Amino acid sequence: MKKIDPDVWIGLYIEHDNATISLDASGGSLHRRGYREEGGEAPMQEITAAAMIRLSEWDGSKPLYDLMCGSGTLLSEA
C-alpha cells in the first residue's frame, strides 16, 4: 500500500555491499511541498536550484553563500 501523504520519509541508499537507511525529518524537497502559494515570474525554478546545489557537492558542513541573492530559491533548496 502506498501512502499518499506520509508522516515520515524513509530513504534507502545501496552501494556495493553497504546499505544506508535514513529518516528524512524535513518532509522532502521544497519543490514538492508547494511552499510558494502565489505564482509569479520566477527567475529560477526550484528544480534547477536543487540541481545546482547537488552539483556543487555542498554538504552542509560549511556556510552556503548565495551571491545571486535574489528570491532565495538556492538557499531554500539547500
Side-chain angles (χ1 to χ4, degrees):
M1 183 168 94
K2 181 179 178 184
K3 179 102 174 175
I4 294 174
D5 189 18
D7 296 326
V8 177
W9 292 58
I10 299 173
L12 173 62
Y13 179 73
I14 301 173
E15 182 177 15
H16 304 294
D17 293 337
N18 296 320
T20 303
I21 299 174
S22 61
L23 296 177
D24 183 358
S26 67
S29 298
L30 291 175
H31 76 276
R32 290 191 209 133
R33 286 193 246 163
Y35 69 99
R36 289 188 177 157
E37 294 184 11
E38 292 183 19
E41 189 74 26
M44 181 183 301
Q45 293 181 349
E46 293 91 347
I47 296 170
T48 304
M52 289 175 65
I53 295 297
R54 180 166 289 210
L55 288 172
S56 74
E57 298 181 358
W58 179 74
D59 63 1
S61 63
K62 295 180 181 178
L64 176 67
Y65 298 100
D66 181 4
L67 300 179
M68 297 196 293
C69 197
S71 62
T73 307
L74 282 173
L75 298 176
S76 295
E77 287 302 316

